[in-house]
Amino acid sequence: MTELQFKYSSDQEHQVKAVDAVAELFQGQEFLARDFSGSVARSGAQQQAFTVGHANGIRVSTRQLTDNLHAAQEEHCLERTSKLTDGVLRDFTVEMETGTGKTYVYIRTIYELNKRYGLTKFIIVVPSVAIREGVIKSFESTKAHFDELYDRTPLDVFVYDSKNMGSVGNFALSSSIEVMIINIQAFNKEFSKNGEENRGNLFHRRSEKLIGGRSPQELVAECNPIVIIDEPQSVDNSKQAKAAIRSLNPLFVLRYSATHKDTYNMVYRLTPVDAFDQHLVKGICVDSIRSDEDMNGAYVKLESVQSDPIKARITLDVREKAGGQKRKSVLCATGNDLFVKSKENPDYEGVRGGWIITNISAQSGNEFIEFQNGTRLETGEVVGDVAEEAVKRAQIRRTIIDHLERQLALYPLGIKVLSLFFIDKVEKYRVYGDDGSFGLGEYARMFEEEYQDEVQGGSWVRRYEKKGVPLPLDPAPLHQGYFSKDGKGRLKDTSGTTAADTSTFEAIMQSKERLISFPDGKDDVKDIAFIFSHSALKEGWDNPNIFQICTLVDTANAMTKRQKIGRGLRLCVDQNGERNYDPSVNILTVIANESYDEFARGLQKEFESDGYKFGVLTPESFSSVVAVGAEGEESLFGFERSRMLYEYFVDDGKVTEKGGITLDLKEAVEYGVVELPAFAEPARESVVAIIANKAKKLVVKDKAKEVTVALRKDVTDEPVFQELWERIRQRTRYELTVDTETLVEKSIEEITRMPEVKPVEVMSSRADLTIDGAGVETKGVGTALVKTSAVRAYDLPDPIGQLQDVVGLTRCTIKRILEGCGRFDEFPVDPATFLAQVAAKIERAKLEVLSKGIKYTKLPESEWYTMEVLDVADLTAYLDQNAYEPANDKSIYNYVVYDSSTVERPFAYDLDMAEEVKVFAKLPARFTIDTPVGSYNPDWAYVTEDTYGGKRVFFVVETKGGGNIDPATRPREAAKIDCARKHFAALDDGVAYSVRSTYRGV
């Protein structure tokens, strides 16, 4: 059987936008093929050979670069910035929520920058072994995909190793794409905390094996690499690290993360709300495990330690005057007796020497407290919690139950389910004897006991057999721990940064595909379904098929809720390596020992502390809005009109001085009565959509409100539904007849409105130069524009041929467009910018013309949809979060699932309440219409019946408004809707298709 391989899609819109945002920054820049020379030892220090190194080169136009930056920021509603680094506009930021393909995006950006500008030298700087191994794995798994996408463009990637200088030499000598991956620890130790250089390390030490006897740092610096920083908040977060990055002499620095601390110049942002709202990651469900407080025994928990003065905050059971006990937090100092602090609770009296505090450590990262009886507690650790084991067992048991339910539902879809337990000590999973033997740790033992009890004592065997799903009965092969190993091969606690950890992370990364493969009786890894791993794996490792995450830790650790869910956010993958995009399938359940509300509030607080502001507008929030005039002409709002609209809302009291969206404005959006100034009326739909999106909170589903959505046979068997179904189940195929005249006219119209193409500027760059025994160093200190009377002349490319490769039109058609646009005289001014802008405008025109030149014809009845497409196979939903129970027997499902609470839920409610509506359905994701711009899934189908005449009318409706519209995708959505109109017209069976925001209104 062929081993599972991940398959990648090249048309994920959010990823393409992120790549283009960076690539288009450099439009209009003059990139150069720059070489440098020197000698290198071939077979000994005495045998030298002359060689040439290849470097990135560019003559930067700061004005053009700034204009491009501001254009990207305007398009993506980002703050307008032009922050300089060492006097140069050099650092750019891409923010993408965890699980949305950040690594894929920057690898594709490497290929794209090479394709567009010939850049060949790239360095990826990572903060840890875990992330490094993840990046390597990504290059391996995407190779075939990018070979196909970029016509097998050669790319060599390697990890910097101070013991192998050959790779560094090849990096400089090769004219192909070269990518070096390097940990920041490998070269930032050469700098003191104030950023001064120390040449003691091999990366900064000269080598006769390299060109000209240079050091790796000098050789890399000669290449002027594009430096990509993965997780910059953990890489260049100090003067020392910043100096190390500067020593690479980067042409530009591109920063990728979900949680930037310094945003520099942001060119693209995919927020947490965007990712969850667009179903680019799994939805989150919380399964809360709580226990009543058990006041028996001496309960002691170290909450925190303060340093000035040194005291510890401890939670213990305090006696109350009226009798009984209450768990309270008290502040204690060295020498304090918990018997006294607890108001003489006898549980703390004279136990093994007494609960008298003998030592408190306030050292950062090493906070602890010690007692006279020998007990030692770290921050967050607890002793005497008699309910602790019960809670841990309950968490493990609940994880098993959730896992079994998910596997039963997803096995028919070819999806293997994984569950992840985070623990902080290896001894909790595996214990070793003095002779090297080992056995189950506490949590592993609990897991096996709870699994056996659940599977053998419940109805799982019968349920699995009924659906033909294999159910393993022996828990031993099902779980495995991923930790580092010591010199004796024993598992050890993982830090994620040392060389000893490398083997662990390599195993985890290399096993991704095997872990999500169904068992075959030949590979032990494929048997594993439950993974115990170290809480230090807070970044760099994940698996798309993790559906349950359970944290079992005794001590407080730095792993946040956001980091926990980040290990399982990626959309799942089936046995063919294909990603599944169904939101009802992609639900990540967090088994938490806190309430749903506490978890949701905590997660939202973390997002806010990472810089995302919920319910806030900014002056640039509307900059990408497109206004449509009376004649159908379109114009971008841009920064200026966006600011004017923002100030209008502030002056009107609908938005606070800090941008907060008021309750009045939220309600106005919900009821469709937002007041706008005259200039914004042509863009009402998009403006309201942005406000609705910004007003959203992060949706975290409550496991306690989980319901099972099922098809109601009694409703679908009704004649009224059968009559509707016979009309809408018909399928069509389309044929395209492109109206060349219209395409030429529309393209010319678009090109006439594009920005002016201006000459490339010549810049002067100033640098300080130092000479010492190690060589010559430079440091940029500023740039200036140099004005001359000279006219720059280029070797002009064939514009028609260049455009033909991009837009796919005939040479004749492109020639007509260029001749008729009246802008071709700008081509010699800056050919690259001109062609890029023209291509974008032609693509926009194509999108509009395609839907108008399409013709649909019916397929034979044998290819029509059957009722099976409506069966949601026990879909899970969450009451009051994305589902509600209809009041009447009209819905074909027992629960109505909705995507938007501001548009779809009110629409469904009106369908349910309206007397004239006899039956309705939220059409499932599998019910689609083919279009040239992708599959289209209508929202609703319903039937109305005239009370008096009994006449039935059949509707298919697309609901738009509220948070459903992304202004940036408006042309594509409009094209799909145009195609849907033609599909239903071709059916000619009385179905009325329309786009509405409310049932009663428009």
Side-chain angles (χ1 to χ4, degrees):
M1 181 177 178
T2 305
E3 291 295 320
L4 187 153
Q5 291 185 333
F6 290 127
K7 295 178 182 176
Y8 295 87
S9 172
S10 62
D11 60 357
Q12 292 294 295
E13 192 164 5
H14 68 287
Q15 295 174 344
V16 173
K17 284 182 179 179
V19 173
D20 285 344
V22 171
E24 290 169 7
L25 274 174
F26 308 117
Q27 285 184 155
Q29 306 304 312
E30 187 180 1
F31 286 86
L32 313 171
R34 191 174 65 79
D35 296 335
F36 60 94
S37 61
S39 57
V40 62
R42 292 302 184 191
S43 58
Q46 305 303 317
Q47 297 181 25
Q48 302 287 321
F50 185 79
T51 188
V52 175
H54 300 278
N56 293 328
I58 188 174
R59 187 173 287 115
V60 182
S61 162
T62 299
R63 188 207 69 194
Q64 180 71 61
L65 191 57
T66 303
D67 287 349
N68 292 345
L69 170 62
H70 290 167
Q73 291 171 332
E74 190 172 71
E75 180 182 352
H76 299 295
C77 298
L78 301 169
E79 181 184 3
R80 189 197 294 246
T81 61
S82 52
K83 183 175 180 180
L84 305 181
T85 306
D86 299 329
V88 179
L89 185 58
R90 190 190 70 183
D91 287 76
F92 304 100
T93 296
V94 172
E95 182 173 304
M96 296 181 68
E97 179 55 17
T98 302
T100 58
K102 165 177 62 72
T103 308
Y104 172 93
V105 163
Y106 69 64
I107 295 175
R108 183 165 174 175
T109 299
I110 289 172
Y111 280 98
E112 195 66 26
L113 290 176
N114 174 263
K115 177 182 177 180
R116 297 193 193 191
Y117 311 114
L119 295 167
T120 58
K121 302 303 166 71
F122 299 86
I123 295 180
I124 301 172
V125 186
V126 298
S128 66
V129 173
I131 292 180
R132 187 191 75 193
E133 294 303 316
V135 174
I136 295 169
K137 179 64 178 179
S138 293
F139 270 98
E140 293 173 355
S141 63
T142 58
K143 185 180 185 306
H145 170 74
F146 287 127
D147 277 350
E148 181 178 353
L149 197 59
Y150 289 93
D151 198 24
R152 307 191 71 81
T153 299
L155 179 147
D156 181 46
V157 58
F158 68 98
V159 174
Y160 169 75
D161 182 353
S162 60
K163 299 176 182 178
N164 180 13
M165 292 301 177
S167 295
V168 179
N170 291 337
F171 180 86
L173 293 171
S174 174
S175 59
S176 300
I177 304 176
E178 288 287 331
V179 182
M180 175 194 295
I181 306 172
I182 186 169
N183 288 60
I184 184 65
Q185 295 87 354
F187 66 107
N188 74 335
K189 295 178 182 177
E190 315 327 312
F191 296 87
S192 63
K193 291 183 179 180
N194 63 9
E196 294 180 356
E197 191 169 356
N198 171 10
R199 291 181 168 267
N201 182 271
L202 290 177
F203 190 77
H204 290 263
R205 188 183 300 169
R206 292 191 159 200
S207 170
E208 292 183 351
K209 297 179 180 179
L210 298 176
I211 298 174
R214 294 172 173 87
S215 67
Q217 175 269 323
E218 289 173 321
L219 194 58
V220 164
E222 284 271 23
C223 293
N224 273 135
I226 300 285
V227 172
I228 295 170
I229 303 181
D230 195 327
E231 307 293 354
Q233 73 279 3
S234 301
V235 172
D236 65 337
N237 51 6
S238 66
K239 287 185 178 179
Q240 181 182 16
K242 291 181 188 298
I245 297 296
R246 192 163 54 244
S247 76
L248 301 176
N249 192 25
L251 195 64
F252 294 104
V253 179
L254 308 176
R255 300 161 177 274
Y256 293 81
S257 178
T259 54
H260 292 277
K261 297 303 181 188
D262 190 339
T263 58
Y264 288 86
N265 302 294
M266 190 173 290
V267 297
Y268 180 78
R269 188 182 197 194
L270 183 73
T271 69
V273 170
D274 293 334
F276 287 105
D277 192 44
Q278 297 172 32
H279 304 301
L280 303 176
V281 294
K282 290 192 184 88
I284 304 169
C285 173
V286 176
D287 195 348
S288 178
I289 308 297
R290 303 298 300 277
S291 170
D292 294 333
E293 291 179 344
D294 190 327
M295 298 296 181
N296 298 291
Y299 176 94
V300 184
K301 181 179 181 181
L302 177 59
E303 301 287 356
S304 61
V305 177
Q306 67 180 43
S307 58
D308 189 18
I310 296 178
K311 289 190 176 183
R313 182 161 293 282
I314 298 172
T315 297
L316 64 160
D317 296 336
V318 180
R319 288 182 67 189
E320 296 191 295
K321 291 181 179 180
Q325 304 173 18
K326 187 173 183 178
R327 196 154 285 174
K328 294 182 178 179
S329 176
V330 297
L331 202 60
C332 302
T334 301
N336 285 166
D337 188 340
L338 297 193
F339 176 65
V340 176
K341 286 287 185 178
S342 66
K343 308 296 185 184
E344 299 186 350
N345 182 339
D347 287 337
Y348 300 97
E349 184 178 16
V351 179
R352 290 184 291 126
W355 288 98
I356 298 172
I357 298 173
T358 58
N359 185 20
I360 299 176
S361 170
Q363 181 183 359
S364 179
N366 188 36
E367 296 90 348
F368 65 84
I369 188 171
E370 293 178 332
F371 295 91
Q372 187 172 307
N373 61 25
T375 301
R376 182 181 188 274
L377 298 178
E378 298 176 7
T379 305
E381 197 168 9
V382 61
V383 294
D385 187 355
V386 294
E388 179 188 8
E389 179 176 343
V391 171
K392 292 292 196 305
R393 279 190 175 273
Q395 283 185 271
I396 293 171
R397 181 72 164 239
R398 191 65 218 182
T399 303
I400 293 167
I401 293 171
D402 289 343
H403 179 104
L404 293 173
E405 288 283 8
R406 296 297 285 160
Q407 188 60 85
L408 187 62
L410 299 186
Y411 187 89
L413 301 179
I415 296 170
K416 179 184 173 184
V417 173
L418 299 176
S419 292
L420 176 63
F421 294 97
F422 276 123
I423 67 176
D424 60 353
K425 294 179 180 177
V426 168
E427 65 189 46
K428 294 286 188 178
Y429 180 73
R430 180 172 292 179
V431 292
Y432 290 91
D434 294 336
D435 60 354
S437 62
F438 61 85
L440 298 178
E442 178 184 358
Y443 293 150
R445 176 175 48 79
M446 284 184 184
F447 170 79
E448 293 200 359
E449 290 171 356
E450 296 302 324
Y451 185 91
Q452 282 185 321
D453 188 62
E454 177 64 30
V455 171
Q456 295 176 4
S459 60
W460 295 108
V461 173
R462 176 181 55 79
R463 293 177 63 194
Y464 268 63
E465 286 179 350
K466 184 178 179 181
K467 286 200 171 184
V469 181
L471 175 64
L473 301 179
D474 181 5
L478 301 182
H479 66 96
Q480 185 56 267
Y482 280 113
F483 306 93
S484 294
K485 295 181 180 180
D486 62 18
K488 297 180 180 179
R490 300 183 181 187
L491 301 181
K492 74 179 188 69
D493 291 335
T494 310
S495 68
T497 57
T498 67
D501 300 321
T502 302
S503 61
T504 293
F505 294 114
E506 284 178 347
I508 293 173
M509 297 304 166
Q510 296 302 325
S511 297
K512 270 191 176 183
E513 293 90 344
R514 293 160 65 201
L515 276 171
I516 65 173
S517 298
F518 284 148
D520 58 7
K522 301 176 182 178
D523 185 342
D524 292 344
V525 172
K526 294 180 181 179
D527 292 330
I528 299 168
F530 298 87
I531 301 164
F532 288 80
S533 200
H534 203 290
S535 55
L537 282 175
K538 57 188 178 183
E539 57 186 16
W541 180 85
D542 53 28
N543 190 292
N545 285 22
I546 290 174
F547 286 89
Q548 288 74 226
I549 290 179
C550 178
T551 303
L552 304 168
V553 292
D554 290 331
T555 59
N557 61 76
M559 191 178 192
T560 66
K561 290 178 173 63
R562 193 174 184 185
Q563 289 167 336
K564 291 173 187 174
I565 65 172
R567 301 312 98 219
L569 281 181
R570 295 188 188 279
L571 300 182
C572 62
V573 174
D574 64 19
Q575 298 302 294
N576 295 319
E578 300 280 0
R579 206 167 291 278
N580 184 296
Y581 295 98
D582 188 342
S584 65
V585 169
N586 285 289
I587 300 293
L588 172 67
T589 300
V590 179
I591 293 84
N593 58 358
E594 58 186 323
S595 73
Y596 154 76
D597 287 331
E598 288 172 334
F599 185 93
R601 283 197 302 270
L603 181 60
Q604 180 160 324
K605 186 176 180 181
E606 288 176 12
F607 279 117
E608 290 171 337
S609 68
D610 285 334
Y612 183 79
K613 296 179 180 179
F614 293 87
V616 173
L617 292 171
T618 63
E620 56 274 358
S621 289
F622 307 101
S623 61
S624 69
V625 166
V626 176
V628 182
E631 302 297 324
E633 72 280 7
E634 296 181 349
S635 61
L636 194 70
F637 255 41
F639 284 122
E640 187 57 32
R641 281 197 283 180
S642 177
R643 181 188 58 77
M644 289 168 58
L645 182 55
Y646 172 82
E647 291 176 352
Y648 167 84
F649 285 127
V650 173
D651 293 343
D652 196 36
K654 296 295 192 296
V655 172
T656 68
E657 291 293 335
K658 293 185 177 180
I661 299 173
T662 64
L663 181 60
D664 284 348
L665 185 54
K666 289 180 182 178
E667 290 179 346
V669 169
E670 186 171 347
Y671 294 106
V673 291
V674 178
E675 295 182 6
L676 296 177
F679 75 85
E681 276 296 341
R684 166 175 288 276
E685 190 176 330
S686 296
V687 168
V688 171
I690 288 171
I691 299 171
N693 182 268
K694 292 291 184 182
K696 284 182 179 179
K697 289 188 175 182
L698 190 67
V699 177
V700 178
K701 300 176 177 69
D702 186 353
K703 186 74 174 180
K705 295 184 177 182
E706 185 177 276
V707 294
T708 300
V709 181
L711 195 64
R712 295 188 56 185
K713 303 293 185 182
D714 57 327
V715 176
T716 57
D717 287 343
E718 288 289 329
V720 64
F721 177 75
Q722 288 296 321
E723 195 174 353
L724 170 66
W725 179 241
E726 283 304 310
R727 285 168 163 78
I728 66 173
R729 78 183 187 95
Q730 301 177 57
R731 300 184 67 193
T732 57
R733 68 163 58 94
Y734 66 81
E735 297 176 356
L736 276 174
T737 304
V738 178
D739 185 341
T740 304
E741 294 300 321
T742 304
L743 177 58
V744 171
E745 290 174 11
K746 186 63 182 175
S747 297
I748 289 173
E749 181 185 338
E750 292 283 347
I751 293 169
T752 57
R753 294 201 296 261
M754 75 183 190
E756 179 186 357
V757 178
K758 300 176 181 179
V760 173
E761 295 172 340
V762 177
M763 301 300 300
S764 165
S765 299
R766 299 183 302 279
D768 288 339
L769 183 145
T770 58
I771 304 175
D772 57 23
V776 179
E777 293 285 335
T778 61
K779 178 182 178 182
V781 295
T783 62
L785 173 64
V786 179
K787 294 185 178 180
T788 70
S789 58
V791 177
R792 189 179 300 269
Y794 295 97
D795 292 329
L796 298 177
D798 170 18
I800 297 177
Q802 294 275 323
L803 289 171
Q804 192 175 22
D805 288 342
V806 178
V807 301
L809 301 180
T810 66
R811 291 185 64 88
C812 178
T813 301
I814 295 173
K815 182 173 183 289
R816 290 179 59 193
I817 293 171
L818 293 177
E819 288 176 342
C821 70
R823 301 287 296 272
F824 191 64
D825 57 343
E826 297 174 31
F827 170 58
V829 174
D830 181 352
T833 299
F834 177 84
L835 294 175
Q837 291 187 180
V838 167
K841 295 299 183 182
I842 294 176
E843 284 294 331
R844 187 180 180 88
K846 275 177 58 182
L847 201 58
E848 183 173 332
V849 172
L850 279 179
S851 62
K852 299 187 185 307
I854 195 168
K855 179 182 178 182
Y856 282 90
T857 55
K858 282 187 187 181
L859 289 169
E861 186 173 355
S862 60
E863 297 185 46
W864 294 0
Y865 282 122
T866 66
M867 289 288 289
E868 288 181 358
V869 77
L870 299 177
D871 193 342
V872 290
D874 297 332
L875 164 71
T876 54
Y878 302 85
L879 282 178
D880 302 324
Q881 294 183 305
N882 73 333
Y884 84 97
E885 187 172 8
N888 299 298
D889 296 331
K890 299 179 182 180
S891 169
I892 69 169
Y893 299 108
N894 58 340
Y895 294 96
V896 179
V897 179
Y898 52 84
D899 294 327
S900 163
S901 59
T902 57
V903 177
E904 286 203 353
R905 175 164 180 160
F907 192 90
Y909 181 81
D910 287 345
L911 292 176
D912 192 22
M913 293 295 109
E915 290 185 7
E916 68 273 15
V917 174
K918 300 306 175 184
V919 68
F920 72 93
K922 179 70 165 69
L923 294 170
R926 291 188 294 172
F927 186 96
T928 60
I929 297 167
D930 290 335
T931 83
V933 290
S935 296
Y936 165 68
N937 169 225
D939 289 323
W940 306 92
Y942 60 95
V943 180
T944 63
E945 187 172 278
D946 187 337
T947 305
Y948 301 102
K951 180 182 178 182
R952 289 176 178 173
V953 183
F954 306 90
F955 294 91
V956 172
V957 168
E958 177 74 18
T959 42
K960 287 295 180 190
N964 283 353
I965 302 171
D966 176 3
T969 62
R970 185 176 175 276
R972 182 173 293 271
E973 289 195 9
K976 287 185 176 182
I977 288 169
D978 283 345
C979 290
R981 294 186 198 279
K982 295 191 174 184
H983 161 84
F984 286 107
L987 298 184
D988 191 24
D989 58 2
V991 174
Y993 173 81
S994 62
V995 179
R996 309 177 68 85
S997 56
T998 62
Y999 173 67
R1000 295 294 184 190
V1002 178

